[in-house]
Amino acid sequence: MELPVIRKSADLSVEPNLREYAAACKTFSWDSAQEWIDGLPGGGVNIAYEAVDRHVVHGRGDHVALRCLGKQTQTDITYAELARRTNTFANALRSLGIEPGQRVFSLVGRVPALYVAILGTLKAGSVFAPLFSAFGPEPVKQRVVIGSGVAMVTSAALYRKKVAPVRDEMPTLQHILLVDEPGDDVSDIPGALHLTELLAEQSEEFDLAQTGPEDMSLLHFTSGTTGTPKAAVHVHGAVVAHYATGHFALDLHAEDIYWCTADPGWVTGTSYGVISPLTHGLTMIVDEGEFDARRWYRTLAEHHVSVWYTAPTAIRMLMRAGPELAKEYDLSSVRFVASVGEPLNPEAVVWGREVLGLTIHDNWWQTETGGIMIANYAACDVYPGSMGQPMPGITAGVLQRGEEGRAQAGPDGHVVEVPAGEIGELALRTGWPSMFRAYLDEEQRYNKCFVDGWYLTGDLAKRDENGYFWFIGRADDVIKTAGHLIGPFEVESVLMEDPRVAEAGVIGVPDPMMGERIKAFVSLKPGVDDDPKTLRRELTAHARRRLGPAVAPREIEFSDNLPKTRSGKIMRRLLRARELGLPEGDLSTLETGPVPANEEA
Ligand code: AMP
C-alpha cells in the first residue's frame, strides 16, 4: 500500500512539546534532563517519588492520578491518596521483613491494588517484577525462580489456577498478597494475606527508601530464541528517560487524560502505563476490562481521553468492528494517538485518518531499552510504515551483518553502519538512562548484546535518506503475537513434555489480526499411531494448561522431517520458509514482519 507523507505543520491543535526536532537533538542531553525530575537529597532518585509524592509536594495532591474503570465501578485516586496508599504498601513490605532489593512479583489484572503495589514496592526500595496474568503455571514458575521472588500480589482465583500447581517449585516465594476482599476461605494458600487487611494495619507515613540512580527498580522478563526467559534489570535512574520520552514522544502535558491500553505485565504497561504518565502529573485511565470495541470508544469519549497509546493488534480489532461504530462516539477530545509493539501497517494509519481524523504515531522500543527510542513526533512529518526518528539523546544506527545474520565487529573490532536504504541490524549507542543494566545472573548473555559501543537490538531495519527508520523484521526466531514477545523454545519445551513427541519446532506465521500466530511443527516418536485429531487436541490442551492461552500454539502440524542443522538443531527459519512456500535456499526473504510499503514516500 503506497501512502504519501503526512505533513504535520498544519495538523496541530495544541502546541506540542517537541516543536523543532533537529534543534532539540542538538541541544538535548541526558545530563541536562536531570533537571526535569526532583531527585532525592545527595544525588538519589526514586521512581515512585517522581511519579507520586513530588506532585503532592508541588501542590497537586488533589489532582486525579488514576481513574480506575472496574467491571462495575469507577474509582478516582488522587495523587495525595496514591501517596498514602503506596506508603501503606511500603510499610506492609517492611512489616513482612521484605527488604530493599528483594523481588515482589505480580500476577493480577489491572486493578487499583496492582498500581499501589508497583509504586509501593519502589518506595520501599524493593524490586517489582510484573507478570502477565494470561501466563500459565510454567512461565510463572520460570520467572519467579529466576527472579527469586519473595512475594506475589495476585488473586485467589489466579493463584489456584496458575501458582498452586507449581508452588512447590518456587521455594523463595513466601508471601501471597491477595487483592480479593477478605471473607473467602484461603487456608489452602500458604502465606496468604488479604491486602485490604494488611494495608489497614499500616501507617500512611513512610520514610522513602533513599535509592540511588543505579539501584534496581524493576525486573522485566523477555524471551530469547533459546533457553530460559531473561530478566532485564532496570534501575531507578531510568525515570528521567521515562519522563523525557513521555514529553517528546507521547507529547504528555499535566492536564492530559491519558490512556495506555497495554497491561503492566509487559514493559509498555509499566513504563508508559504507570511510570511515565504519572511523572507528568496527569490523569491516567486504568481499564480493568479486556478489549471490547464499543467500550473502548466509550472510554475514549466519556473520559475525554486526550492522549492514547495503544498497539497495532488493538487497532486492527477496532478496524474490524467497522467505521460506523466509531462514528457513534464523540472522539474530539483525542489529540494524540501513538502505537507500539509490532509493525503498524499503513492501512491502520489510513484508518486513523479517516475514522478518528488523527494520525497514529508509530514508535519503537523494547524491554531492554526501558523506554521509547524511535518515534513519530507530534510536529514531525509521518511516513506511513516508518517507525520514525530517534529520540533526542538517542543515536540509532543500522549495522552491517555477519554470516550469522547479526551485526558483527570486523577484525579491527569495529562495526560498520550500512548506507541509507540498506537492511542491517538496528543498534543504539549505549548510555541512555533507561537502558537495562543486566540480564539477572547472566553476564555472558548480557555482554553478547553489545559490540563496539552499540547495543544490538536483534531487529532488522533500514534508515531512509530523511533519517526515518523502517522496521523489517527480527534477526532471530522470537515471535511477536498480538504484541507479546514469545520465545519459541519455551513452547517447544512444553510440547516435548508429552511422551509421544519426539521433536518440536515453533515459529510465528503471518496473521491478519495478531501480526503473527504461534504454530508448532511436531514429529512423533516411532510407533506412535494415535489419531492425529485427538493428539492435536490433547497437545493443545496440555500447552494451554501449562503455558496459558497467550503463549500456547494456535496451530499444530505433524511432520516427520523437521529441517535440522548438521548438529541436530531444528532450523525454524526453514520451517518458516516451508510454511510461506518460499524457496528454502533463500533465507534473506525470511525476515519476519512486513516490508514497508512506502519507502519512497
Ligand atoms: P518487547 O521487548 O516485548 O517490548 O518487544 C520488543 C520488540 O517488539 C522489538 O524488538 C520489535 O521486534 C517489536 N517492536 C516494537 N515496536 C515495534 C514497532 N513500532 N514496529 C515493529 N516492531 C516493533
Side-chain angles (χ1 to χ4, degrees), residues 576-590:
R576 225 178 120 74
R578 273 193 204 169
E579 179 67 22
L580 300 178
L582 298 170
E584 294 200 352
D586 186 7
L587 289 182
S588 64
T589 57
L590 291 180

Side-chain angles (χ1 to χ4, degrees), residues 20-76:
E20 299 291 342
Y21 174 74
C25 288
K26 282 205 190 102
T27 53
F28 177 83
S29 76
W30 290 112
D31 279 345
S32 60
Q34 295 296 335
E35 288 171 15
W36 290 355
I37 60 168
D38 281 11
L40 300 176
V45 59
N46 183 287
I47 291 177
Y49 175 82
E50 301 299 334
V52 185
D53 294 23
R54 78 156 163 161
H55 303 301
V56 182
V57 171
H58 296 299
R60 296 187 80 244
D62 291 339
H63 198 74
V64 174
L66 307 179
R67 170 156 297 170
C68 303
L69 310 180
K71 296 210 169 105
Q72 263 97 41
T73 52
Q74 176 185 315
T75 320
D76 281 356

Side-chain angles (χ1 to χ4, degrees), residues 221-222 266-268 312 339-344 362-368 374 387 457-459 471-474 478 480 483-485:
F221 289 87
T222 186
W266 302 93
V267 72
T268 304
S339 155
V340 73
E342 350 151 33
L344 181 70
D362 188 17
N363 58 50
W364 177 97
W365 60 291
Q366 54 180 201
T367 304
E368 287 84 346
I374 296 176
M387 48 201 193
T457 68
D459 277 5
F471 179 79
I472 300 294
R474 286 290 305 184
V478 293
K480 249 297 152 113
H484 305 145
L485 195 79

Side-chain angles (χ1 to χ4, degrees), residues 151-439:
M152 182 184 278
V153 177
T154 186
S155 68
L158 283 167
Y159 178 91
R160 290 187 179 116
K161 200 164 163 203
K162 292 151 186 268
V163 185
V166 286
R167 176 70 187 268
D168 290 349
E169 298 168 67
M170 300 184 289
T172 56
L173 190 58
Q174 296 168 45
H175 309 285
I176 305 296
L177 309 179
L178 297 173
V179 300
D180 317 65
E181 283 309 312
D184 286 349
D185 178 15
V186 291
S187 55
D188 59 313
I189 304 179
L193 290 166
H194 280 291
L195 264 177
T196 325
E197 289 173 348
L198 180 64
L199 298 188
E201 294 163 6
Q202 311 299 326
S203 160
E204 291 184 345
E205 305 288 320
F206 181 74
D207 280 336
L208 185 77
Q210 299 296 300
T211 42
E214 291 303 312
D215 284 341
M216 199 189 298
S217 56
L218 291 146
L219 269 188
H220 279 297
F221 289 87
T222 186
S223 297
T225 306
T226 56
T228 50
K230 304 176 272 191
V233 171
H234 289 280
V235 295
H236 279 274
V239 69
V240 68
H242 294 135
Y243 182 91
T245 50
H247 176 86
F248 287 135
L250 300 179
D251 198 34
L252 299 180
H253 293 73
E255 297 311 316
D256 273 318
I257 309 282
Y258 167 83
W259 185 24
C260 169
T261 60
D263 188 275
W266 302 93
V267 72
T268 304
T270 319
S271 290
Y272 297 97
V274 186
I275 300 169
S276 173
L278 294 180
T279 62
H280 284 269
L282 50 67
T283 298
M284 188 174 93
I285 301 291
V286 172
D287 178 27
E288 194 184 332
E290 293 311 320
F291 177 84
D292 174 84
R294 187 172 285 283
R295 211 192 61 257
W296 275 35
Y297 284 131
R298 202 170 56 226
T299 300
L300 289 169
E302 276 182 10
H303 297 287
H304 308 288
V305 171
S306 53
V307 178
W308 184 34
Y309 194 24
T310 187
T313 295
I315 292 166
R316 286 190 291 267
M317 292 199 285
L318 289 174
M319 288 168 75
R320 186 168 59 179
E324 295 75 27
L325 185 64
K327 300 258 157 27
E328 288 178 30
Y329 296 88
D330 175 7
L331 304 177
S332 58
S333 61
V334 186
R335 180 185 89 243
F336 188 78
V337 187
S339 155
V340 73
E342 350 151 33
L344 181 70
N345 31 331
E347 293 83 351
V349 180
V350 173
W351 174 86
R353 302 282 296 180
E354 286 176 4
V355 177
L356 305 176
L358 292 162
T359 301
I360 302 175
H361 298 77
D362 188 17
N363 58 50
W364 177 97
W365 60 291
Q366 54 180 201
T367 304
E368 287 84 346
T369 70
I372 299 169
M373 296 283 108
I374 296 176
N376 285 290
Y377 305 95
C380 292
D381 295 342
V382 170
Y383 295 83
S386 162
M387 48 201 193
Q389 308 169 88
M391 282 272 308
I394 297 297
T395 305
V398 178
L399 305 184
Q400 199 170 65
R401 291 177 292 161
E403 274 171 17
E404 310 243 307
R406 300 291 306 267
Q408 219 176 18
D412 61 353
H414 294 304
V415 292
V416 176
E417 286 188 66
V418 299
E422 278 183 29
I423 296 175
E425 182 164 357
L426 179 63
L428 305 162
R429 276 262 170 230
T430 55
W432 67 95
S434 65
M435 192 179 91
F436 73 133
R437 298 300 198 269
Y439 287 131

